[in-house]
Each structure stands twice: as C-alpha cells, then as structure tokens.
C-alpha cells in the first residue's frame, strides 16, 4: 500500500533534507544555473577521513553512505568571503579522486499537457502487472497516489508540488496504451523542497539520495522529469546506478 517511508533504514547521519536548518538561499551564476549558497557536494569513492576539510576551513553539513557500494556523499559549507568556484577548486585539491561540484538545484519540467491541472491516476494499481519495477523521482507532496505505490520522502521542508503525480499518470497511461499491466513495483521518491523566495525545487544532494535508493530497490526504469544544470556528482551517481564502481 501507499506509504511515506521516512525510517532511518540506512547508515547515514540524516534520512534526507535539512533538519534544523533554515531554508537555504539560492544563487544564480552567469549561465543561469541555480545552486545553494556556500555549499559544495562531494562524492568519495570510499569512506574517508574528513579532517582535511575542517583543516581547510570547510564544515560538514550532512553526509550519508550510498546504499549499494559504500561511496560517501557529503555536503560541505564554506565561508561567505570565499567564491564558489574557488571553494570547488580547493575541495578538488583535497580529494582528487572524488566527484565534486556545487550544490545545484533542479525544478520541475513543464507540466505534462495530458494531465495539466488535473489528476488521471487510478485509485489503485491493477492486479495485472508487468515484469518491470519503475521509480519516479519528482514532487509528490500534493495530490494522492494509487494504493500500491511505495512513497519515500527525501526532504523535511516538503513543498506543495503535484508534478510527480502528473508524470506518473502519463507513465501509467503509456503502459496501458502499450497493452502492459501496471509495474511490478512502482516507487515514488519525493524530492520537491521548499526554498525561501523560490518555487519548489530539488537539491542535487536529495536527487542523488533518491537515485541511490531507487537503484538499491531494484528499479529497472528510473524517471526524472526535472530540469537544471549539469553536475559532476549527479552524473557520477547515474553512472554508478548503471555501471557499479565507475566514479570518474
């Protein structure tokens, strides 16, 4: 049945989101790419000592160990008088083998025309099921989902966004048009977060966490209908999900 799984079932310091933090400020660079102010993301291939970060003036905000292979995902903060590009360069010098980038955020793509403004989701999933498991990573804090959808939230400041239900409606309708039953498992990862003075968006950290969860749960297809900038950490986790142990 549909449920919101917020249990701390992983080896991490936090099960997603920013418990105790105020809503982060968002910054736009010259290319229009939006990121969280004074934050850097790091993906270490293996757990490592982090003392060098504090020695260099960085602060660990949040970290978790990926579920499938033990890589370590870390959000670090830096001082206000340090430029973002300089902070990224400094962290790359500290951890040459890690994937490192700014803490970018991503917004929902345009509403699917087929479902804009309304929900076409069934009340429950059909008994006839296909052989695939599908995960949809999006915003699911608004609207209801069919019984049988496995919902997990990756944020604590959840934002009122129905986009994920709309995407899921299109997905299920496409399967129906193909003569397929509903997925063997249908996973929903809620990554829509409230940011001060901004529409609902998803942070790269929570996207990585959700991707890792979906892959660990055995999803054959992972759908993300979000728009935003390229990010080295996010790209690395996409490669890990399809080809384990590749980090470059």
């Amino acid at each position: 049945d549909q449920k919101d799984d917020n249990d701390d079932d992983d080896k991490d310091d936090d099960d997603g989101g920013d418990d105790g933090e105020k809503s982060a400020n968002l910054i736009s660079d010259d290319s229009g790419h939006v990121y969280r102010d004074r934050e850097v993301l790091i993906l270490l291939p293996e757990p490592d000592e982090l003392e060098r970060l504090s020695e260099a003036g960085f602060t660990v905000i949040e970290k978790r160990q990926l579920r499938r292979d033990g890589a370590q995902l870390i959000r670090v903060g830096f001082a206000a008088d340090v430029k973002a590009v300089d902070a990224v360069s400094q962290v790359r010098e500290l951890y040459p083998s890690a994937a490192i980038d700014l803490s970018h955020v991503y917004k929902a793509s345009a509403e699917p025309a087929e479902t804009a403004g309304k929900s076409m989701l069934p009340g429950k999933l059909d008994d006839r099921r296909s052989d695939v498991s599908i995960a949809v990573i999006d915003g699911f804090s608004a609207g209801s989902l069919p019984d049988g959808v496995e919902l997990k939230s990756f944020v604590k400041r959840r934002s009122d966004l129905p986009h994920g239900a709309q995407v899921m409606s299109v997905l299920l309708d496409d399967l129906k048009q193909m003569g397929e039953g509903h997925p063997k498992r249908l996973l929903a990862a809620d990554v829509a977060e409230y940011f001060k003075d901004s529409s609902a968006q998803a942070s790269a950290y929570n996207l990585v966490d959700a991707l890792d969860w979906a892959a660990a749960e055995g999803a054959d297809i992972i759908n993300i209908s979000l728009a935003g900038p390229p990010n080295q950490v996010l790209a690395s986790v996409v490669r890990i999900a399809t080809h384990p142990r590749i980090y470059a």
Side-chain angles (χ1 to χ4, degrees):
D1 292 338
Q2 177 186 342
K3 61 181 179 179
D4 189 345
D5 178 12
N6 282 305
D7 294 337
D8 256 344
D9 52 0
D10 310 297
K11 297 177 180 179
D12 62 349
D13 292 337
D14 193 293
D15 202 45
D18 308 322
D19 194 18
E21 287 188 58
K22 295 181 179 179
S23 181
N25 291 324
L26 300 183
I27 303 295
S28 181
D29 64 18
D30 293 339
S31 300
H33 298 156
V34 180
Y35 58 93
R36 297 175 64 126
D37 191 18
R38 301 202 304 276
E39 286 189 17
V40 173
L41 284 189
I42 309 170
L43 183 68
L44 292 175
E46 297 178 356
D48 197 352
E49 298 298 329
L50 303 179
E51 283 83 357
R52 68 187 85 172
L53 282 171
S54 58
E55 292 171 356
F58 294 93
T59 302
V60 175
I61 301 171
E62 187 177 14
K63 60 184 172 67
R64 78 147 57 239
Q65 189 170 331
L66 297 192
R67 298 161 179 81
R68 296 207 307 161
D69 56 11
Q72 194 168 18
L73 176 66
I74 311 165
R75 284 173 57 210
V76 301
F78 55 91
D81 60 350
V82 178
K83 293 182 179 179
V85 291
D86 294 336
V88 171
S89 297
Q90 291 174 30
V91 177
R92 285 175 177 163
E93 290 179 3
L94 295 174
Y95 299 98
S97 64
I100 297 164
D101 214 324
L102 293 173
S103 185
H104 290 115
V105 297
Y106 299 79
K107 62 182 180 180
S109 59
E111 285 190 345
E114 297 91 336
T115 59
K118 60 181 179 179
S119 174
M120 298 175 60
L121 285 169
K124 63 179 296 184
L125 298 182
D126 289 342
D127 293 333
R128 186 172 66 90
R129 302 293 181 94
S130 67
D131 293 330
V132 298
S133 295
I134 299 177
V136 178
I137 299 175
D138 213 296
F140 288 98
S141 53
S144 60
L145 298 177
D147 291 340
V149 173
E150 300 172 51
L151 172 66
K152 182 175 176 65
S153 176
F154 290 84
V155 296
K156 288 187 171 66
R157 291 190 306 273
R158 301 178 71 178
S159 185
D160 186 22
L161 186 69
H163 188 260
Q166 295 165 353
V167 169
M168 188 173 287
S169 175
V170 173
L171 185 152
L172 293 178
D173 186 62
D174 286 346
L175 287 175
K176 181 178 180 181
Q177 296 298 324
M178 295 167 59
E180 296 286 340
H182 285 161
K184 178 173 59 178
R185 292 180 69 191
L186 186 52
L187 309 173
D190 183 15
V191 293
E193 183 176 1
Y194 168 78
F195 285 99
K196 182 173 57 180
D197 301 325
S198 174
S199 60
Q201 301 196 55
S203 69
Y205 184 95
N206 290 334
L207 272 177
V208 166
D209 196 4
L211 267 168
D212 177 52
W213 169 73
E217 288 293 317
D220 302 296
I221 299 170
I222 301 175
N223 182 94
I224 305 177
S225 296
L226 301 171
N231 183 281
Q232 289 191 13
V233 175
L234 187 56
S236 291
V237 172
V238 170
R239 287 194 290 270
I240 292 169
T242 54
H243 302 286
R245 309 305 303 173
I246 296 178
Y247 293 91

